[in-house]
Structures are given as C-alpha cells and as structure tokens.
Coordinates of all heavy atoms in Angstrom, one line a residue:
Q17 N 9.1 14.0 1.5 CA 8.1 14.9 1.2 C 8.2 15.2 -0.3 O 9.3 15.4 -0.8 CB 8.3 16.2 2.0 CG 7.3 17.3 1.7 CD 7.6 18.5 2.6 OE1 8.5 18.6 3.4 NE2 6.7 19.5 2.4
V18 N 7.1 15.2 -1.0 CA 7.1 15.5 -2.5 C 6.8 17.0 -2.7 O 5.9 17.6 -2.1 CB 6.0 14.7 -3.2 CG1 5.9 15.0 -4.6 CG2 6.2 13.2 -3.0
E19 N 7.6 17.6 -3.5 CA 7.4 19.0 -3.9 C 6.6 19.0 -5.2 O 7.1 18.8 -6.3 CB 8.8 19.7 -4.2 CG 9.6 19.9 -2.9 CD 10.8 20.7 -3.2 OE1 10.7 21.9 -3.3 OE2 11.9 20.0 -3.4
N20 N 5.3 19.2 -5.0 CA 4.3 19.1 -6.1 C 4.7 20.1 -7.3 O 4.5 19.8 -8.4 CB 2.9 19.4 -5.7 CG 2.4 18.2 -4.8 OD1 2.8 17.1 -5.0 ND2 1.5 18.5 -3.9
S21 N 5.2 21.2 -7.0 CA 5.6 22.2 -8.0 C 6.7 21.7 -8.9 O 6.8 22.2 -10.0 CB 6.0 23.5 -7.4 OG 7.2 23.4 -6.6
K22 N 7.4 20.7 -8.5 CA 8.5 20.1 -9.3 C 8.2 18.8 -9.9 O 9.0 18.1 -10.5 CB 9.7 20.0 -8.4 CG 10.3 21.4 -8.0 CD 11.5 21.2 -7.2 CE 12.0 22.6 -6.7 NZ 13.2 22.5 -5.8
V23 N 6.9 18.3 -9.8 CA 6.5 17.1 -10.4 C 6.1 17.3 -11.9 O 5.1 17.9 -12.1 CB 5.3 16.4 -9.6 CG1 4.9 15.2 -10.4 CG2 5.8 16.1 -8.2
S24 N 7.0 17.0 -12.8 CA 6.7 17.1 -14.2 C 7.7 16.3 -15.0 O 8.7 15.9 -14.5 CB 6.8 18.6 -14.6 OG 8.1 19.0 -14.7
A25 N 7.3 16.0 -16.2 CA 8.2 15.2 -17.1 C 9.5 15.9 -17.4 O 10.5 15.3 -17.7 CB 7.5 14.8 -18.4
E26 N 9.4 17.3 -17.4 CA 10.6 18.1 -17.8 C 11.6 18.3 -16.7 O 12.7 18.6 -16.9 CB 10.1 19.5 -18.3 CG 9.3 19.4 -19.5 CD 7.8 19.1 -19.3 OE1 7.3 19.4 -18.2 OE2 7.2 18.4 -20.1
Y27 N 11.1 18.1 -15.4 CA 12.0 18.4 -14.3 C 13.0 17.2 -14.2 O 12.6 16.1 -14.1 CB 11.2 18.6 -13.0 CG 12.0 19.2 -11.9 CD1 12.3 20.5 -11.9 CD2 12.5 18.4 -10.9 CE1 13.1 21.1 -10.9 CE2 13.3 19.0 -9.8 CZ 13.5 20.3 -9.9 OH 14.3 20.9 -8.9
G28 N 14.3 17.5 -14.2 CA 15.3 16.5 -14.2 C 15.7 15.8 -12.9 O 16.2 14.7 -12.9
A29 N 15.4 16.5 -11.8 CA 15.8 15.9 -10.5 C 14.6 15.4 -9.8 O 13.5 15.8 -10.0 CB 16.5 17.0 -9.7
P30 N 14.8 14.4 -8.9 CA 13.7 13.9 -8.1 C 13.0 15.1 -7.3 O 13.7 15.9 -6.7 CB 14.3 12.9 -7.1 CG 15.6 12.5 -7.8 CD 16.1 13.8 -8.5
P31 N 11.7 15.1 -7.4 CA 10.9 16.2 -6.7 C 10.6 15.9 -5.2 O 9.5 16.0 -4.8 CB 9.7 16.3 -7.5 CG 9.4 14.9 -7.9 CD 10.8 14.3 -8.2
I32 N 11.7 15.5 -4.5 CA 11.4 15.1 -3.1 C 12.4 15.9 -2.2 O 13.5 16.3 -2.6 CB 11.5 13.6 -2.9 CG1 13.0 13.1 -3.2 CG2 10.5 12.8 -3.6 CD1 13.2 11.7 -2.7
V33 N 12.0 16.0 -1.0 CA 12.8 16.6 0.1 C 12.8 15.5 1.2 O 11.8 15.0 1.6 CB 12.2 17.9 0.6 CG1 13.1 18.4 1.8 CG2 12.1 18.9 -0.5
V34 N 14.0 15.2 1.7 CA 14.1 14.1 2.7 C 14.5 14.8 4.0 O 15.4 15.6 4.1 CB 15.2 13.1 2.3 CG1 15.3 12.0 3.4 CG2 14.8 12.4 1.0
Y35 N 13.7 14.4 5.1 CA 14.0 14.8 6.4 C 14.4 13.6 7.3 O 14.1 12.5 7.0 CB 12.7 15.4 7.1 CG 12.3 16.7 6.4 CD1 11.5 16.8 5.3 CD2 12.8 17.9 6.9 CE1 11.1 18.0 4.8 CE2 12.4 19.2 6.4 CZ 11.6 19.2 5.3 OH 11.2 20.3 4.7
E36 N 15.2 13.9 8.3 CA 15.6 12.9 9.2 C 15.5 13.4 10.6 O 15.5 14.6 10.9 CB 17.1 12.4 8.9 CG 18.1 13.5 9.1 CD 19.5 13.0 8.8 OE1 19.7 11.8 8.7 OE2 20.4 13.9 8.5
K37 N 15.2 12.4 11.5 CA 15.0 12.8 12.9 C 16.3 12.8 13.6 O 17.1 11.9 13.7 CB 14.0 11.8 13.6 CG 13.5 12.4 14.8 CD 12.3 11.5 15.3 CE 11.6 12.2 16.4 NZ 10.4 11.5 16.8
R38 N 16.6 14.0 14.2 CA 17.9 14.2 15.0 C 17.5 14.9 16.3 O 16.9 15.9 16.3 CB 18.9 15.1 14.2 CG 19.6 14.4 13.1 CD 20.7 15.3 12.6 NE 21.2 14.9 11.4 CZ 22.0 15.6 10.6 NH1 22.3 16.8 10.9 NH2 22.4 15.1 9.5
D39 N 17.9 14.3 17.4 CA 17.6 14.9 18.7 C 16.2 15.3 18.8 O 15.9 16.4 19.2 CB 18.6 16.0 18.9 CG 20.0 15.7 18.8 OD1 20.4 14.5 19.3 OD2 20.8 16.5 18.3
A40 N 15.3 14.4 18.5 CA 13.8 14.6 18.6 C 13.3 15.7 17.7 O 12.2 16.2 18.0 CB 13.5 14.9 20.1
R41 N 14.0 16.1 16.7 CA 13.6 17.1 15.8 C 13.8 16.6 14.3 O 14.7 15.9 14.0 CB 14.4 18.4 15.9 CG 14.2 19.2 17.2 CD 14.9 20.4 17.3 NE 14.8 21.2 16.0 CZ 15.2 22.4 15.8 NH1 15.8 23.0 16.8 NH2 15.1 22.9 14.6
W42 N 12.9 17.0 13.5 CA 13.0 16.7 12.0 C 13.8 17.8 11.4 O 13.5 18.9 11.4 CB 11.6 16.6 11.4 CG 10.9 15.3 11.8 CD1 9.9 15.3 12.8 CD2 11.1 14.0 11.4 NE1 9.5 14.0 12.9 CE2 10.2 13.2 12.1 CE3 12.0 13.4 10.5 CZ2 10.2 11.8 11.9 CZ3 11.9 12.1 10.3 CH2 11.0 11.3 11.0
T43 N 14.9 17.3 10.7 CA 15.8 18.3 10.0 C 16.0 17.9 8.6 O 15.9 16.7 8.3 CB 17.2 18.4 10.7 OG1 17.8 17.1 10.7 CG2 17.1 18.9 12.1
L44 N 16.2 18.8 7.7 CA 16.4 18.6 6.3 C 17.7 17.8 6.1 O 18.7 18.2 6.6 CB 16.4 19.9 5.6 CG 16.5 19.9 4.1 CD1 15.3 19.2 3.5 CD2 16.6 21.3 3.5
K45 N 17.6 16.7 5.4 CA 18.8 15.9 5.1 C 19.6 16.5 3.9 O 19.0 17.0 3.0 CB 18.4 14.5 4.8 CG 19.6 13.5 4.6 CD 19.1 12.1 4.6 CE 20.3 11.2 4.5 NZ 20.9 10.8 5.7
D46 N 20.9 16.5 4.0 CA 21.7 17.1 3.0 C 21.5 16.3 1.7 O 21.6 15.1 1.6 CB 23.2 16.9 3.4 CG 24.2 17.5 2.4 OD1 23.7 17.9 1.3 OD2 25.4 17.5 2.7
K47 N 21.1 17.0 0.6 CA 20.7 16.4 -0.6 C 21.9 15.6 -1.3 O 21.7 14.8 -2.1 CB 20.1 17.4 -1.6 CG 21.1 18.4 -2.1 CD 20.4 19.4 -3.1 CE 21.4 20.5 -3.5 NZ 20.7 21.4 -4.4
H48 N 23.1 15.9 -0.9 CA 24.3 15.2 -1.4 C 24.5 13.9 -0.7 O 25.3 13.1 -1.1 CB 25.5 16.1 -1.2 CG 25.4 17.4 -2.1 ND1 25.0 18.5 -1.5 CD2 25.7 17.6 -3.4 CE1 25.0 19.5 -2.5 NE2 25.4 18.9 -3.6
Q49 N 23.7 13.6 0.4 CA 23.8 12.3 1.1 C 22.7 11.4 0.7 O 22.6 10.3 1.3 CB 23.8 12.6 2.6 CG 25.1 13.3 3.1 CD 25.0 13.5 4.6 OE1 24.0 13.3 5.2 NE2 26.1 13.9 5.1
I50 N 21.9 11.8 -0.2 CA 20.7 11.0 -0.6 C 21.0 10.3 -1.9 O 21.5 10.9 -2.9 CB 19.5 11.9 -0.8 CG1 19.2 12.6 0.5 CG2 18.3 11.0 -1.2 CD1 18.1 13.7 0.4
M51 N 20.8 9.0 -2.0 CA 21.0 8.3 -3.2 C 19.7 7.7 -3.7 O 19.1 6.9 -2.9 CB 22.1 7.2 -3.0 CG 22.3 6.4 -4.3 SD 23.6 5.2 -4.3 CE 23.4 4.3 -2.8
L52 N 19.2 8.0 -4.8 CA 18.0 7.5 -5.4 C 18.4 6.6 -6.6 O 18.9 7.1 -7.6 CB 17.1 8.6 -5.8 CG 16.6 9.5 -4.7 CD1 15.8 10.7 -5.3 CD2 15.7 8.7 -3.7
R53 N 18.1 5.3 -6.4 CA 18.4 4.4 -7.5 C 17.3 4.4 -8.6 O 16.1 4.6 -8.3 CB 18.6 3.0 -7.0 CG 19.8 2.8 -6.2 CD 20.0 1.4 -5.8 NE 20.0 1.4 -4.3 CZ 19.8 0.3 -3.6 NH1 19.5 -0.8 -4.2 NH2 19.8 0.4 -2.3
H54 N 17.7 4.3 -9.8 CA 16.7 4.1 -10.9 C 15.8 5.3 -11.1 O 14.7 5.2 -11.5 CB 15.9 2.9 -10.7 CG 16.7 1.7 -10.4 ND1 17.6 1.1 -11.3 CD2 16.8 0.9 -9.3 CE1 18.2 0.0 -10.7 NE2 17.7 -0.1 -9.5
W55 N 16.4 6.5 -10.8 CA 15.5 7.7 -10.9 C 15.0 7.9 -12.4 O 13.8 8.2 -12.5 CB 16.3 9.0 -10.5 CG 15.6 10.2 -10.9 CD1 16.0 11.2 -11.8 CD2 14.2 10.6 -10.5 NE1 15.1 12.2 -11.9 CE2 14.0 11.8 -11.2 CE3 13.3 10.1 -9.7 CZ2 12.8 12.5 -11.0 CZ3 12.1 10.8 -9.6 CH2 11.8 12.0 -10.2
E56 N 15.8 7.7 -13.4 CA 15.3 8.0 -14.7 C 14.2 7.0 -15.1 O 13.2 7.3 -15.7 CB 16.4 7.9 -15.8 CG 17.4 9.0 -15.7 CD 16.7 10.4 -15.9 OE1 15.8 10.5 -16.8 OE2 17.0 11.3 -15.2
Q57 N 14.3 5.7 -14.7 CA 13.3 4.7 -15.0 C 12.0 5.1 -14.2 O 10.9 5.0 -14.7 CB 13.8 3.3 -14.6 CG 12.7 2.3 -14.9 CD 13.2 0.9 -14.5 OE1 14.0 0.7 -13.6 NE2 12.6 -0.1 -15.1
T58 N 12.2 5.5 -13.0 CA 11.1 5.9 -12.1 C 10.3 7.0 -12.7 O 9.1 7.0 -12.8 CB 11.5 6.2 -10.7 OG1 12.2 5.1 -10.1 CG2 10.4 6.7 -9.8
R59 N 11.0 8.0 -13.2 CA 10.4 9.2 -13.9 C 9.7 8.8 -15.1 O 8.5 9.2 -15.4 CB 11.5 10.2 -14.2 CG 10.9 11.5 -14.7 CD 11.9 12.6 -14.8 NE 12.9 12.3 -15.9 CZ 13.5 13.2 -16.6 NH1 13.3 14.5 -16.4 NH2 14.3 12.9 -17.6
A60 N 10.2 7.9 -15.9 CA 9.6 7.4 -17.2 C 8.3 6.7 -16.8 O 7.3 6.9 -17.5 CB 10.5 6.6 -18.0
V61 N 8.3 5.8 -15.8 CA 7.1 5.0 -15.4 C 6.1 6.0 -14.9 O 4.9 5.9 -15.3 CB 7.5 4.0 -14.4 CG1 6.2 3.4 -13.7 CG2 8.3 2.9 -15.0
A62 N 6.5 6.9 -14.1 CA 5.5 7.9 -13.5 C 4.8 8.7 -14.7 O 3.6 9.0 -14.6 CB 6.2 8.8 -12.5
E63 N 5.6 9.1 -15.6 CA 5.1 9.9 -16.8 C 4.1 9.0 -17.6 O 3.0 9.5 -18.0 CB 6.2 10.4 -17.7 CG 5.7 11.2 -18.9 CD 4.8 12.3 -18.5 OE1 4.9 12.9 -17.4 OE2 4.0 12.7 -19.4
E64 N 4.4 7.8 -17.8 CA 3.5 6.9 -18.5 C 2.2 6.7 -17.7 O 1.1 6.7 -18.3 CB 4.2 5.5 -18.7 CG 3.4 4.6 -19.6 CD 3.3 5.0 -21.0 OE1 4.2 5.6 -21.5 OE2 2.3 4.6 -21.7
L65 N 2.3 6.5 -16.4 CA 1.1 6.4 -15.6 C 0.3 7.6 -15.6 O -1.0 7.6 -15.7 CB 1.5 6.1 -14.1 CG 2.1 4.7 -13.9 CD1 2.7 4.6 -12.5 CD2 1.1 3.6 -14.1
R66 N 0.9 8.8 -15.6 CA 0.2 10.1 -15.7 C -0.5 10.2 -17.0 O -1.7 10.5 -17.1 CB 1.1 11.2 -15.5 CG 0.4 12.6 -15.3 CD 1.3 13.8 -15.6 NE 1.9 13.7 -17.0 CZ 1.2 14.1 -18.1 NH1 -0.1 14.4 -18.0 NH2 1.8 14.0 -19.3
A67 N 0.2 9.8 -18.1 CA -0.4 9.9 -19.4 C -1.6 9.0 -19.6 O -2.6 9.3 -20.2 CB 0.6 9.6 -20.5
D68 N -1.5 7.8 -18.9 CA -2.6 6.9 -18.9 C -3.8 7.2 -17.9 O -4.7 6.4 -17.9 CB -2.1 5.5 -18.6 CG -1.3 4.9 -19.7 OD1 -1.2 5.4 -20.8 OD2 -0.6 3.8 -19.5
R69 N -3.6 8.2 -17.2 CA -4.5 8.6 -16.1 C -4.7 7.4 -15.1 O -5.9 7.1 -14.7 CB -5.9 9.1 -16.7 CG -5.7 10.3 -17.6 CD -7.1 10.8 -18.0 NE -7.0 11.9 -18.9 CZ -6.8 13.1 -18.6 NH1 -6.6 13.5 -17.4 NH2 -6.8 14.1 -19.6
A70 N -3.6 6.8 -14.8 CA -3.7 5.6 -13.9 C -4.1 6.0 -12.5 O -4.4 5.1 -11.7 CB -2.3 5.0 -13.9
Q71 N -4.1 7.3 -12.1 CA -4.5 7.7 -10.8 C -6.0 7.2 -10.5 O -6.4 7.1 -9.4 CB -4.4 9.2 -10.6 CG -5.3 10.1 -11.3 CD -4.8 10.5 -12.7 OE1 -3.9 9.8 -13.2 NE2 -5.3 11.6 -13.2
A72 N -6.8 7.0 -11.6 CA -8.1 6.5 -11.4 C -8.1 5.1 -10.8 O -9.2 4.7 -10.2 CB -8.9 6.5 -12.8
L73 N -7.0 4.4 -11.0 CA -6.9 3.0 -10.4 C -6.6 3.0 -8.9 O -6.8 2.0 -8.2 CB -5.9 2.2 -11.2 CG -6.1 2.0 -12.6 CD1 -4.9 1.3 -13.2 CD2 -7.3 1.2 -12.9
L74 N -6.0 4.1 -8.4 CA -5.5 4.2 -7.1 C -6.6 4.1 -6.0 O -7.6 4.9 -6.1 CB -4.7 5.5 -6.9 CG -4.0 5.7 -5.5 CD1 -3.0 4.6 -5.3 CD2 -3.4 7.0 -5.5
V75 N -6.5 3.2 -5.1 CA -7.4 3.1 -4.0 C -6.7 3.4 -2.7 O -5.7 2.6 -2.4 CB -8.1 1.7 -3.9 CG1 -9.0 1.6 -2.7 CG2 -8.8 1.4 -5.2
D76 N -7.0 4.4 -2.0 CA -6.4 4.7 -0.7 C -7.2 4.0 0.4 O -8.3 3.4 0.2 CB -6.2 6.1 -0.4 CG -7.5 6.9 -0.2 OD1 -8.6 6.3 -0.1 OD2 -7.4 8.1 -0.2
F77 N -6.6 4.0 1.6 CA -7.2 3.2 2.7 C -8.6 3.8 3.1 O -9.5 3.0 3.4 CB -6.3 3.1 3.9 CG -6.7 2.0 4.9 CD1 -6.5 0.7 4.5 CD2 -7.3 2.3 6.1 CE1 -6.9 -0.3 5.4 CE2 -7.6 1.3 7.0 CZ -7.4 0.0 6.6
D78 N -8.8 5.1 3.0 CA -10.1 5.6 3.3 C -11.1 5.2 2.3 O -12.3 4.9 2.7 CB -10.0 7.2 3.3 CG -9.4 7.8 4.5 OD1 -9.3 7.1 5.5 OD2 -8.9 8.9 4.4
S79 N -10.8 5.1 1.1 CA -11.7 4.5 0.0 C -12.1 3.1 0.3 O -13.2 2.7 0.2 CB -11.1 4.6 -1.4 OG -10.9 6.0 -1.7
H80 N -11.1 2.3 0.8 CA -11.3 0.9 1.2 C -12.3 0.9 2.3 O -13.2 0.0 2.4 CB -10.0 0.3 1.5 CG -10.1 -1.0 2.2 ND1 -10.5 -2.2 1.6 CD2 -9.9 -1.4 3.5 CE1 -10.6 -3.2 2.4 NE2 -10.2 -2.7 3.6
L81 N -12.1 1.8 3.3 CA -13.1 1.7 4.5 C -14.5 2.1 4.1 O -15.4 1.6 4.7 CB -12.5 2.7 5.6 CG -11.2 2.2 6.2 CD1 -10.8 3.3 7.2 CD2 -11.4 0.9 6.9
D82 N -14.6 3.0 3.1 CA -15.9 3.3 2.6 C -16.6 2.2 1.8 O -17.8 2.0 1.8 CB -15.8 4.5 1.6 CG -15.5 5.8 2.4 OD1 -15.8 5.9 3.6 OD2 -15.0 6.7 1.7
D83 N -15.8 1.3 1.1 CA -16.3 0.2 0.4 C -15.2 -0.9 0.4 O -14.2 -0.9 -0.3 CB -16.5 0.6 -1.1 CG -17.0 -0.5 -2.0 OD1 -17.1 -1.7 -1.5 OD2 -17.3 -0.2 -3.1
L84 N -15.5 -1.9 1.3 CA -14.5 -2.9 1.6 C -14.1 -3.8 0.4 O -13.1 -4.5 0.4 CB -14.9 -3.8 2.7 CG -15.1 -3.1 4.1 CD1 -15.6 -4.0 5.1 CD2 -13.8 -2.4 4.5
R85 N -14.9 -3.7 -0.7 CA -14.6 -4.4 -1.9 C -13.4 -3.8 -2.6 O -12.8 -4.5 -3.5 CB -15.9 -4.5 -2.8 CG -17.0 -5.3 -2.2 CD -18.2 -5.1 -3.0 NE -18.6 -3.7 -2.9 CZ -19.7 -3.2 -3.5 NH1 -20.5 -4.0 -4.2 NH2 -20.0 -2.0 -3.3
R86 N -13.1 -2.6 -2.4 CA -12.0 -1.9 -3.0 C -10.7 -2.2 -2.3 O -10.6 -2.1 -1.1 CB -12.2 -0.4 -3.0 CG -13.5 0.0 -3.8 CD -13.7 1.4 -4.0 NE -12.7 1.9 -4.9 CZ -12.4 3.2 -5.1 NH1 -13.0 4.1 -4.4 NH2 -11.4 3.5 -5.9
D87 N -9.7 -2.7 -3.0 CA -8.5 -3.2 -2.4 C -7.5 -2.1 -2.3 O -6.9 -1.7 -3.3 CB -8.0 -4.4 -3.3 CG -6.8 -5.1 -2.7 OD1 -6.3 -4.7 -1.7 OD2 -6.5 -6.2 -3.2
W88 N -7.2 -1.7 -1.1 CA -6.2 -0.7 -0.9 C -4.8 -1.1 -1.2 O -3.9 -0.2 -1.2 CB -6.3 -0.1 0.6 CG -5.9 -1.2 1.6 CD1 -6.8 -2.1 2.2 CD2 -4.7 -1.4 2.2 NE1 -6.1 -2.9 3.0 CE2 -4.8 -2.5 3.1 CE3 -3.4 -0.8 2.0 CZ2 -3.7 -3.0 3.8 CZ3 -2.4 -1.3 2.7 CH2 -2.5 -2.4 3.6
T89 N -4.5 -2.3 -1.4 CA -3.2 -2.8 -1.8 C -2.9 -2.5 -3.3 O -1.8 -2.8 -3.8 CB -2.9 -4.2 -1.4 OG1 -3.8 -5.1 -2.2 CG2 -3.0 -4.5 0.1
N90 N -3.9 -2.1 -4.0 CA -3.8 -1.7 -5.4 C -3.1 -2.7 -6.4 O -2.2 -2.4 -7.1 CB -3.0 -0.4 -5.5 CG -3.8 0.7 -4.8 OD1 -4.8 1.2 -5.4 ND2 -3.4 1.2 -3.6
P91 N -3.7 -4.0 -6.4 CA -3.0 -5.0 -7.3 C -3.1 -4.6 -8.8 O -2.1 -4.9 -9.5 CB -3.8 -6.2 -7.0 CG -5.1 -5.8 -6.4 CD -4.8 -4.5 -5.7
E92 N -4.1 -3.9 -9.2 CA -4.2 -3.6 -10.6 C -3.2 -2.5 -11.0 O -2.5 -2.6 -12.0 CB -5.6 -3.1 -10.9 CG -5.9 -2.9 -12.4 CD -7.4 -2.4 -12.6 OE1 -8.2 -2.5 -11.7 OE2 -7.6 -2.0 -13.7
L93 N -3.1 -1.5 -10.1 CA -2.1 -0.5 -10.4 C -0.7 -1.0 -10.2 O 0.2 -0.7 -11.1 CB -2.3 0.7 -9.4 CG -1.4 1.9 -9.5 CD1 -1.5 2.5 -10.9 CD2 -1.7 2.9 -8.4
N94 N -0.4 -1.9 -9.3 CA 0.9 -2.5 -9.1 C 1.3 -3.3 -10.3 O 2.5 -3.4 -10.7 CB 1.0 -3.3 -7.8 CG 1.0 -2.4 -6.6 OD1 1.6 -1.3 -6.6 ND2 0.4 -2.8 -5.5
A95 N 0.3 -4.0 -10.9 CA 0.6 -4.8 -12.1 C 1.0 -3.9 -13.2 O 1.9 -4.3 -14.0 CB -0.6 -5.7 -12.4
R96 N 0.3 -2.8 -13.3 CA 0.6 -1.8 -14.4 C 2.0 -1.3 -14.2 O 2.8 -1.2 -15.2 CB -0.4 -0.7 -14.5 CG -0.2 0.3 -15.5 CD -0.4 -0.2 -16.9 NE -0.2 0.9 -17.9 CZ 0.6 0.8 -18.9 NH1 1.2 -0.3 -19.2 NH2 0.7 1.8 -19.7
I97 N 2.4 -1.0 -13.0 CA 3.7 -0.5 -12.8 C 4.8 -1.6 -13.1 O 5.8 -1.3 -13.7 CB 3.9 0.0 -11.3 CG1 3.0 1.2 -11.1 CG2 5.3 0.2 -10.9 CD1 2.8 1.6 -9.6
A98 N 4.5 -2.8 -12.7 CA 5.4 -3.9 -13.0 C 5.6 -4.1 -14.5 O 6.7 -4.3 -15.0 CB 5.0 -5.2 -12.3
E99 N 4.5 -4.0 -15.2 CA 4.5 -4.1 -16.7 C 5.4 -3.0 -17.3 O 6.2 -3.3 -18.2 CB 3.1 -4.0 -17.2 CG 2.9 -4.0 -18.7 CD 1.5 -3.7 -19.1 OE1 0.6 -4.4 -18.5 OE2 1.3 -2.8 -19.9
L100 N 5.3 -1.8 -16.8 CA 6.1 -0.7 -17.3 C 7.5 -0.8 -16.9 O 8.4 -0.3 -17.7 CB 5.5 0.7 -16.8 CG 4.1 1.1 -17.4 CD1 3.6 2.2 -16.6 CD2 4.2 1.3 -18.9
R101 N 7.8 -1.4 -15.8 CA 9.2 -1.5 -15.3 C 9.9 -2.6 -16.1 O 11.2 -2.6 -16.2 CB 9.2 -1.8 -13.8 CG 8.9 -0.6 -13.0 CD 9.2 -0.9 -11.5 NE 10.5 -1.4 -11.3 CZ 10.8 -2.3 -10.4 NH1 9.9 -2.8 -9.6 NH2 12.1 -2.6 -10.2
A102 N 9.2 -3.6 -16.6 CA 9.8 -4.7 -17.2 C 10.6 -4.3 -18.5 O 10.0 -3.5 -19.3 CB 8.8 -5.8 -17.5
P103 N 11.8 -4.7 -18.7 CA 12.5 -4.3 -19.9 C 11.8 -4.9 -21.1 O 11.2 -6.0 -21.0 CB 13.9 -5.0 -19.7 CG 13.9 -5.6 -18.4 CD 12.6 -5.5 -17.8
A104 N 11.8 -4.2 -22.2 CA 11.2 -4.7 -23.4 C 11.7 -6.1 -23.8 O 12.9 -6.3 -23.8 CB 11.5 -3.7 -24.6
G105 N 10.8 -7.0 -24.1 CA 11.1 -8.3 -24.5 C 11.5 -9.3 -23.4 O 11.8 -10.4 -23.6
A106 N 11.4 -8.8 -22.1 CA 11.8 -9.7 -21.0 C 10.9 -10.9 -20.8 O 11.3 -11.9 -20.3 CB 11.8 -8.8 -19.7
G107 N 9.6 -10.7 -21.2 CA 8.7 -11.9 -21.1 C 8.8 -12.8 -22.2 O 8.1 -13.8 -22.2
L108 N 9.6 -12.6 -23.2 CA 9.7 -13.5 -24.4 C 10.6 -14.7 -24.2 O 11.6 -14.6 -23.5 CB 10.1 -12.7 -25.6 CG 9.2 -11.5 -26.0 CD1 9.9 -10.7 -27.1 CD2 7.8 -12.0 -26.3

C-alpha cells in the first residue's frame, strides 16, 4: 500500500506499507523484515518521471477498454523508465 502523504522527493524512506496474509487475515508486516533493493535509484527515477509529468503517458486497463488502441502495458513509459535506470554511458 502506498502512503500518498509520504510520496515526495524529500522523504527518505519508501512510502509503502506492506501487509501479509496470516490465518485468513491481512496483518501489517514488520518494517524491519522488509528489504527494498535499489530504493535510492527508484526514488530518483520516480522524481524524474514526476518532473517530466510522465503520468500523462500512463495507460491503465480501464483506459485500454475505452480505446483498444491504447496499450495498457505502457511500452512508452517503460522505455522511459529503462532509459532513466541505465547508468550514464552504458549505451556507449
């Protein structure tokens, strides 16, 4: 679950809460048992996408159902993310 109030470039920790199913109930997972790899890189990419207003590229499945020409797998947005994730000079 994303905590929208904590989504910002200044917030240092991942803005998520993780739940796990135990005995047919969803319970909050201990934050000390969660390992998020590449958090700093993820935060930098998300900030760049936000600054570029990349959300305009996002096509959700409902939008796809309204217009089947719109690709809900988001190849354009995924390409932008891959470009931002690539280390500088990696393509040279």
Side-chain angles (χ1 to χ4, degrees):
Q17 177 179 3
V18 175
E19 290 186 84
N20 290 332
S21 64
K22 295 181 179 176
V23 176
S24 75
E26 295 81 33
Y27 195 75
I32 63 170
V33 177
V34 178
Y35 291 89
E36 63 185 341
K37 196 166 190 176
R38 285 190 192 164
D39 303 322
R41 291 183 44 171
W42 289 101
T43 59
L44 186 62
K45 187 165 178 88
D46 180 357
K47 66 181 177 181
H48 296 95
Q49 293 181 348
I50 301 168
M51 179 173 45
L52 298 171
R53 289 186 238 160
H54 313 293
W55 167 243
E56 288 303 319
Q57 182 185 25
T58 300
R59 186 171 72 147
V61 168
E63 177 56 26
E64 185 72 26
L65 291 169
R66 187 200 61 75
D68 288 348
R69 299 187 185 280
Q71 70 271 20
L73 300 174
L74 184 63
V75 178
D76 67 9
F77 197 71
D78 284 338
S79 298
H80 167 74
L81 292 176
D82 290 339
D83 181 353
L84 297 179
R85 294 171 295 183
R86 299 187 70 196
D87 189 349
W88 63 272
T89 63
N90 295 289
E92 190 177 346
L93 183 58
N94 288 327
R96 179 70 177 126
I97 292 169
E99 176 186 309
L100 291 169
R101 285 187 56 213
L108 301 176

